[in-house]
């Protein structure tokens, strides 16, 4: 969809928006947005509107902006709803679907902490977002040497983004796609990407085990089977495995990699005889994600949480330019702060801002919302190059694989940013459900997690925790996006609704793979959606360029 558009006052408009050249005005108007592809939207906009002749200055000054054919329209306050859905630059929805992890009784004790009363007005560090990223950042700051004062600002209830709405798998990629990663980077760089995932997974498991939190967060080491639907899928998987082994990434016996034939899958696991699948088993965990994040938060000190407090703007404090804010140290004797964050409950000043907003990053960082705006990032050079992993980083393959050394295995960096397209974060909706099996735990015959089969995008595991063998387990099943239609939910940031096509495919899935153990229309206890944040390239963003001009 092209971003170029024309703005017109709607039929009941109180003023013509087009007369606002080069000025700031308070506006209450019904607006009519007409996109270049002849799609149009109507909606009400209340706030300040700026039309600037200096696009670069304008877009860095305001939390949202729109590219007109010739100018930039910039607004303060919430972007008009019709535009949010077009540009994928929205705040989280107010009324999300209820997820098993968050809405099971007493599951989210921090849900509304700090949502009423006085808002904290000052902190060394403000973290926006209370998912695993934001709370991990708070935990690291709190357990570091400087111990700054930290405030977490969360738009909805605690942990109610992707972290509270996901599939619960704590699994790292062991060797999948190794050959293609080798081709797009090189062998040593490809290895680092797997080690980074391993480092993250190992660190989380270590955090839990070191504090005996296994029961509190429902950590289960149940293993994982990837189903391979065709001979080609099995050949590709075996080739990836052999290439990873040859490169020194995995060795026999490590990760318990085991190949499963079709007969074993049918006899031991109850796979449908109609399916000629094979599989590969490796060790993996699953857990209750929001309980892990709750435990992380309880292991912090000097961290204040304000839920139900959306951040609507991040601006330099009055009188400071964006260049001069960088000169102010973290611990200024007179508490001179760099940034002021606007919320509906008042402002809060901070020296540093951590954007841990995942799929919603584009709302406060407009250059991440769409590729047209990302082109305007002042730091993006005209030449393009793919993201590079630091070539001379020391590889600690042996020690990190035994888990003995938990230091980060690699440093990521890029000197030259990749093409502007890569700077976008695309909200993408995923769907998950909780379905009760027809068979009890001992009849079901499997404790492990799975992925693959069906359309190839499904992932599931049984929750045995708190049950006994005579109880029919609850299966957490996600996926079905391949049946969503359209752009496979890319660009959809609405987690207040389910996609009925995805629901239908998920309901059919388990009965088709394990006949007799599930029924399409029985046992569905909950279904919910959550919003993932995908980069356009699939590569991570690393480094401070461009971000430094924002916050
Ligand atoms: C359906 C689904 C299934 C998944 N399954 C798995 C899985 O099985 N295993 C796995 O490892 N990963 C899975 N993922 C991915 C994983 O959940 C995410 O990568 C991870 O949770 C991201 O954490 P985060 O803290 O970065 O983002 P989030 O958890 O999304 O947190 C961002 C937070 O920022 C808040 N926020 C946004 N904007 C503002 C603002 N302006 N002001 C204040 N607050 C704001 C949001 O409300 C949200 O709470 C899944 C994701 C989804 C959606």
């Amino acid at each position: 969809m092209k971003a170029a558009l024309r703005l017109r006052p709607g039929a009941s408009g109180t003023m013509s928006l087009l007369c606002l050249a080069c000025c700031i005005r308070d506006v209450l108007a019904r607006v009519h947005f007409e996109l270049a592809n002849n799609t149009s939207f109507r909606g009400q906009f209340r706030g300040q509107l700026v039309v600037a002749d200096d696009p670069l200055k304008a877009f860095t000054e305001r939390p949202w902006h729109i590219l007109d054919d010739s100018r930039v329209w910039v607004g303060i306050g919430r972007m008009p709803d019709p535009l949010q859905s077009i540009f994928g630059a929205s705040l989280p929805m107010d009324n999300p679907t209820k997820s098993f992890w968050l809405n099971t009784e007493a599951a989210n004790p921090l849900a509304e902490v700090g949502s009423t009363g006085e808002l904290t007005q000052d902190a060394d560090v403000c973290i926006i977002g209370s998912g695993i990223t934001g709370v991990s950042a708070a935990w690291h700051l709190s357990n570091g040497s400087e111990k700054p004062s930290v405030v977490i600002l969360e738009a909805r209830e605690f942990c109610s983004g992707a972290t509270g709405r996901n599939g619960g798998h704590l699994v790292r990629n062991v060797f999948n796609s190794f050959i293609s990663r080798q081709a797009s980077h090189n062998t040593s760089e490809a290895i680092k990407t797997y080690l980074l995932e391993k480092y993250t997974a190992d660190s989380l498991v270590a955090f839990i085990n070191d504090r005996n939190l296994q029961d509190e967060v429902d950590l289960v080491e149940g293993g994982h089977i990837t189903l391979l639907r065709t001979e080609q899928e099995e050949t590709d998987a075996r080739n990836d495995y052999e290439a990873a082994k040859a490169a020194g990434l995995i060795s026999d016996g490590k990760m318990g990699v085991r190949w499963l034939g079709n007969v074993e899958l049918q006899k031991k696991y109850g796979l449908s005889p109609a399916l000629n699948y094979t599989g590969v088993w490796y060790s993996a965990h699953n857990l209750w994600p929001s309980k892990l994040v709750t435990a992380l938060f309880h292991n912090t000190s000097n961290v204040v949480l304000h839920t139900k407090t959306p951040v609507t703007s991040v601006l330099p404090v009055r009188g400071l330019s964006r260049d001069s804010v960088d000169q102010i140290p973290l611990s200024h004797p007179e508490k001179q702060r760099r940034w002021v964050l606007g919320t509906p409950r008042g402002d809060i000043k901070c020296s540093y801002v951590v954007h841990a907003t995942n799929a919603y990053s584009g709302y406060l960082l407009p250059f991440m919302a769409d590729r047209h705006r990302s082109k305007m990032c002042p730091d993006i050079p005209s030449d393009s190059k793919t993201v590079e992993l630091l070539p001379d980083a020391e590889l600690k393959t042996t020690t990190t694989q035994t888990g003995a050394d938990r230091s980060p295995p690699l440093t990521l960096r890029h000197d030259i940013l990749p093409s502007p397209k890569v700077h976008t974060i695309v909200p993408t909706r995923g769907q998950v459900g909780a379905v009760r099996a027809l068979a009890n735990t001992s009849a079901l015959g499997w404790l492990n997690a799975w992925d693959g089969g069906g359309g190839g995008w499904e992932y599931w595991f049984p929750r045995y925790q708190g049950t006994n063998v005579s109880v029919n387990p609850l299966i957490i099943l996600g996926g079905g996006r391949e049946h969503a239609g359209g752009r496979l939910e890319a660009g959809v940031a609405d987690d207040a609704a389910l996609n009925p096509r995805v629901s239908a495919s998920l309901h059919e899935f388990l009965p088709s793979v394990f006949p007799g153990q599930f029924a399409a229309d029985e046992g569905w206890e909950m279904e919910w959606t959550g919003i993932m944040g995908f980069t356009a390239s699939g590569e991570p963003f690393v480094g401070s360029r461009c971000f430094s001009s924002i916050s």
Side-chain angles (χ1 to χ4, degrees), residues 296-366:
L296 266 175
F297 182 81
H298 285 315
N299 276 267
T300 63
S301 54
N302 215 13
V303 177
V304 176
L305 171 64
H306 285 296
T307 61
K308 299 194 168 178
T309 308
V311 176
T312 51
S313 62
V314 179
L315 297 168
V317 297
R318 196 180 287 275
L320 288 179
S321 71
R322 283 177 188 277
D323 292 335
S324 59
V325 290
D326 284 343
Q327 313 303 322
I328 301 170
L330 174 61
S331 305
H332 190 278
E334 287 150 34
K335 291 221 157 160
Q336 170 67 67
R337 299 302 188 192
R338 304 172 175 202
W339 302 103
V340 57
L341 276 58
T343 84
R345 299 174 60 196
D347 291 348
I348 171 168
K349 287 184 181 156
C350 315
S351 295
Y352 285 85
V353 180
V354 177
H355 291 257
T357 47
N358 192 24
Y360 309 97
S361 303
Y363 179 77
L364 293 169
L365 301 170

Side-chain angles (χ1 to χ4, degrees), residues 91-92 128-134 153-156 160-163 165-169 309-311 356-358 360 363-364 430-432 459 530-532:
L91 280 171
I128 311 172
S130 67
I132 194 165
T133 305
L153 297 154
E154 166 56 50
R156 306 192 293 202
S160 57
T163 311
R165 328 181 66 76
N166 65 23
H169 296 248
T309 308
V311 176
T357 47
N358 192 24
Y360 309 97
Y363 179 77
L364 293 169
Q431 193 161 318
V432 183
Y459 46 94
I531 312 301
M532 300 171 279

